[in-house]
Amino acid sequence: MNTAVTRVAELVAPGFTGGFSIPICFALMITGPALIILATYTWVSDGLRGKALSTEGV
């Protein structure tokens, strides 16, 4: 399997044969929803405090 991540790794480290795209994809799958949840929490909590503009948090 020759993914874009593997191609970039081959350019950086010639002879690279490892497959690390699965851990990277898994990390992105966890990070994306976590940021959405954190941003929504910040938005809702600032709204409940009566702030019109959120200047802190995510």
Side-chain angles (χ1 to χ4, degrees), residues 40-57:
T40 303
Y41 171 77
T42 302
W43 177 56
V44 169
S45 66
D46 282 352
L48 291 175
R49 285 189 233 145
K51 289 185 175 181
L53 177 65
S54 296
T55 57
E56 297 173 354

Side-chain angles (χ1 to χ4, degrees), residues 21-39:
S21 61
I22 291 175
I24 289 175
C25 291
F26 183 72
L28 291 175
M29 286 172 43
I30 298 300
T31 305
L35 284 174
I36 290 171
I37 291 169
L38 191 58

Side-chain angles (χ1 to χ4, degrees), residues 2-30:
N2 199 5
T3 63
V5 174
T6 306
R7 286 188 211 130
V8 170
E10 289 172 350
L11 289 174
V12 174
F16 175 77
T17 58
F20 62 88
S21 61
I22 291 175
I24 289 175
C25 291
F26 183 72
L28 291 175
M29 286 172 43
I30 298 300

